[in-house]
Amino acid sequence: MSIAAVYTTAQDAAASPEAAASPCDIRIADLRKSFGTHQVLKGIGLEIGRGQSVALLGANGSGKSTLLRCCLRLLEPDGGQVRLLDQEMTALGGGALRRLRAQVGFVFQRHNLVPRLSALSNVLHGVQARRGGPQSWFQSLARKEDREEALHCLERVGLADQAGKRADQLSGGQSQRVAIARALMQRPRMVFADEPVASLDPAAGEEVMDLFVGLMRDQGLTVFFTSHHLRHALGYADRLIALRGGCKVLDGAAAEQDMEALKAIYTKVEEPPS
Amino acid sequence: MSENAAVKAGAIPPRFERPGILAFLAYLLVIAFLVLSIEGSQLSVLGFFEGLPYMADLFVRMIPPDLSRIGPILSALLETFQMALVGTALGVLFSLPLAIWASKRLSPHPLVYYAARGLISWFRTVPDLVWALFFVVTVGLGPFAGTLALMVDTMGFCGKFFAEAMEETEEGPQEALTALGARRSGVICAAVIPAAMPSFINTSLFSLEKATRSSVVLGLVGAGGIGIELKVAMDLFEYPTAATIIVCIFILVLLVERLSSHLRQRII
């Protein structure tokens, strides 16, 4: 399938009544971001319904990570609107921005744990979303109930026995599971993940994706993740969105896509429609 | 011919590139100033060899070291180490917020950043002996003046290295904590400081070694410690007593260095 055909599918999907009817956790309109003269996001618009699992696809440099970071304003967008959980993210500042971020878990590609702290301390950092101060910095200073909750989160990712181990002594898969436990500790209402298994071997990647999507689905959370694994995207997402050159070129139900059509997103034969 | 041109032509590149006219003049100026400095410092090989018999004579007069005043000497030595320890501890403590403000990534405002950087540079560039003189004049003779001088010197030393260590930490964990709604203080205390801790410990231990050596000298200007004992012994030609003091200082500095090296290996 050519890019033009894929784009047609995207337009059809965006106009589907199902997408319009469900309550939206994420609503993005005309999102733009440039680095110097290079325009990475060229007016992206999308809506993601509550409880949906959506995969964001695209080649390197297509703007996937930038889009996720702009949603939480880890990168400031140049223009456009981001509305998360019915709040205008782009209009918030200070404490209000922190409180909204606290409701969104974020799992990074390279887990981003604090290397010299224990797995338990790293999971406990998730409580900073609700409570600041030294009690949320290290497990040794934490409240009893927070320590117990952090241990429970580690139990859910199968790492309760590694609670006291330093993060830099864990394997890649274990580290990513600790990062998932940290996101659970936030008690999030939705979760973003930026290529959560890109740094893992295929077996560990499969295991982590199973755990990640499984845990989030159990809680009925909205999941928005980027991936280069087309099989993961088709297997774990309800809906696929694809970017190419900073533009949205596909938006449709995962069940309706086939592998060959998705591969077209990564070819460099045609330019995306302007 | 430039190196690249020579390589393109297939010839062996020259061993050294010919400097440009400005670089050549700069080299000449540096060499000329070095020669002038040798003259200015009155460097004399003859003077050194003429002084050798006097050095040997002084050495002979120092032996055997006189242990009759070992009690007061050890007491002054303890005071010296206490000055170094307290000065370093306070310096390290005050360096931490100063270094956070002086770290480009963590500073709350560019003005705060430049002010903190300027203060650290000022603390570093003024020698500890000058700080000691300043504090002797302002707070009076004794170990308190020395401790303050060591504290300020440590702030200059640790402030710079702490700030650099924090700037070099991985941004990933900080971004993760920001993303989950942590406050700035939470990001600094839970992600930046733990990551920079090995460097903090290393710098602090070096600082303690440096302060121990400095605290000996500070006594010469009346800022407490064993330095004044050494000066009095030398002024009164009590060379065996001076020898005892020098050996005691040597042992103290050696012990601190060994302990610091041991701690560095154990903790980091």
Side-chain angles (χ1 to χ4, degrees):
Chain A
M1 190 189 280
S2 71
I3 278 291
V6 170
Y7 187 66
T8 311
T9 314
Q11 286 175 318
D12 294 345
S16 72
E18 192 191 336
S22 62
C24 276
D25 271 354
I26 304 171
R27 208 184 288 263
I28 298 170
D30 192 28
L31 190 67
R32 282 165 281 120
K33 176 71 186 172
S34 299
F35 294 109
T37 55
H38 178 52
Q39 203 177 354
V40 180
L41 299 177
K42 299 173 181 169
I44 301 289
L46 58 92
E47 292 183 355
I48 296 178
R50 190 152 301 162
Q52 268 196 327
S53 174
V54 179
L56 184 61
L57 303 173
N60 288 333
S62 59
K64 304 186 299 295
S65 299
T66 305
L67 176 61
L68 287 196
R69 281 173 164 76
C70 282
C71 282
L72 277 185
R73 285 182 50 203
L74 297 173
L75 285 174
E76 283 298 334
D78 297 335
Q81 285 87 44
V82 177
R83 201 170 170 79
L84 300 182
L85 302 166
D86 291 327
Q87 289 185 68
E88 189 63 53
M89 189 73 179
T90 32
L92 299 178
L97 177 61
R98 278 203 310 275
R99 280 190 292 280
L100 183 52
R101 279 175 175 163
Q103 299 177 58
V104 185
F106 201 127
V107 179
F108 292 83
Q109 181 182 340
R110 288 185 52 78
H111 53 74
N112 287 356
L113 302 177
V114 183
R116 289 176 59 81
L117 297 187
S118 67
L120 192 67
S121 282
N122 271 287
V123 175
L124 193 93
H125 287 166
V127 89
Q128 293 201 34
R130 300 190 290 281
R131 190 179 304 129
Q135 289 175 324
S136 62
W137 298 343
F138 313 108
Q139 64 91 15
S140 45
L141 305 176
R143 293 180 184 191
K144 187 170 177 280
E145 61 268 28
D146 289 341
R147 295 178 87 240
E148 282 169 359
E149 187 179 344
L151 187 66
H152 177 62
C153 290
L154 275 174
E155 254 169 28
R156 293 175 71 188
V157 298
L159 285 178
D161 57 333
Q162 306 288 326
K165 207 168 177 179
R166 267 172 53 161
D168 53 4
Q169 290 168 357
L170 299 171
S171 69
Q174 287 175 327
S175 297
Q176 201 58 297
R177 284 196 277 164
V178 173
I180 294 169
R182 178 175 61 189
L184 290 173
M185 186 74 189
Q186 275 180 254
R187 301 181 194 163
R189 290 174 61 190
M190 64 177 169
V191 181
F192 288 177
D194 187 11
E195 297 184 34
V197 297
S199 59
L200 305 180
D201 64 57
E206 205 78 23
E207 195 183 309
V208 167
M209 274 310 281
D210 270 341
L211 181 82
F212 170 65
V213 178
L215 282 170
M216 302 312 160
R217 273 192 178 148
D218 284 351
Q219 297 188 55
L221 300 179
T222 308
V223 180
F224 190 25
F225 68 96
T226 68
S227 182
H228 277 310
H229 294 257
L230 295 180
R231 216 162 50 79
H232 284 171
L234 289 168
Y236 295 108
D238 310 321
R239 181 176 150 201
L240 307 184
I241 296 173
L243 300 182
R244 187 173 152 128
C247 298
K248 191 171 80 172
V249 292
L250 173 107
D251 188 344
E256 292 168 9
Q257 311 302 321
D258 67 81
M259 196 65 105
E260 287 310 309
L262 293 175
K263 280 180 183 168
I265 296 160
Y266 295 90
T267 57
K268 294 184 176 175
V269 187
E270 295 171 50
E271 284 301 309
S274 56
Chain B
M1 188 190 286
S2 78
E3 199 169 320
N4 282 344
V7 172
K8 273 180 195 164
I12 297 176
R15 289 181 191 273
F16 305 104
E17 260 193 89
R18 188 182 290 175
I21 185 75
L22 281 177
F24 183 71
L25 281 175
Y27 292 145
L28 266 186
L29 271 174
V30 169
I31 292 168
F33 189 69
L34 182 64
V35 172
L36 277 174
S37 301
I38 290 171
E39 203 182 312
S41 62
Q42 297 180 5
L43 196 71
S44 159
V45 178
L46 187 67
F48 176 75
F49 282 106
E50 280 177 357
L52 274 179
Y54 297 105
M55 290 183 208
D57 177 54
L58 181 62
F59 187 69
V60 169
R61 283 205 248 170
M62 282 179 160
I63 293 172
D66 180 6
L67 297 177
S68 63
R69 294 200 63 244
I70 192 72
I73 289 172
L74 286 180
S75 167
L77 196 70
L78 179 66
E79 184 184 275
T80 305
F81 182 63
Q82 286 171 331
M83 275 165 56
L85 193 65
V86 175
T88 306
L90 289 175
V92 166
L93 195 69
F94 293 131
S95 292
L96 201 57
L98 196 59
I100 291 169
W101 295 327
S103 160
K104 211 163 210 167
R105 217 196 287 165
L106 307 174
S107 192
H109 193 275
L111 277 180
V112 176
Y113 167 77
Y114 287 114
R117 281 271 161 182
L119 197 63
I120 288 173
S121 296
W122 186 40
F123 287 167
R124 267 168 64 80
T125 46
V126 176
D128 48 8
L129 206 62
V130 176
W131 283 118
L133 283 168
F134 171 76
F135 285 118
V136 163
V137 172
T138 51
V139 302
L141 290 165
F144 181 47
T147 306
L148 288 178
L150 291 171
M151 182 189 81
V152 173
D153 194 52
T154 302
M155 284 169 73
F157 183 75
C158 289
K160 178 182 160 59
F161 288 106
F162 283 8
E164 281 174 7
M166 287 192 282
E167 276 178 2
E168 284 164 11
T169 53
E170 256 188 273
E171 278 189 64
Q174 297 162 48
E175 190 184 30
L177 294 196
T178 306
L180 60 76
R183 290 167 189 274
R184 230 173 64 84
S185 57
V187 174
I188 292 171
C189 295
V192 180
I193 292 178
M197 194 50 84
S199 182
F200 285 1
I201 292 169
N202 212 9
T203 306
S204 303
L205 289 172
F206 273 125
S207 211
L208 180 64
E209 289 174 30
K210 188 171 164 292
T212 308
R213 282 192 297 270
S214 297
S215 60
V216 172
V217 184
L218 298 188
L220 297 178
V221 294
I226 202 165
I228 192 70
E229 295 278 344
L230 182 62
K231 186 176 184 309
V232 169
M234 293 295 269
D235 286 350
L236 298 177
F237 308 111
E238 289 176 358
Y239 297 127
T241 306
T244 308
I245 294 169
I246 290 168
V247 170
C248 285
I249 291 169
F250 171 75
I251 292 170
L252 174 69
V253 172
L254 196 71
L255 278 177
V256 170
E257 283 186 0
R258 295 309 310 150
L259 182 74
S260 153
S261 166
H262 176 72
L263 286 176
R264 206 171 285 132
Q265 282 172 358
R266 283 291 300 269
I267 299 171
I268 297 170

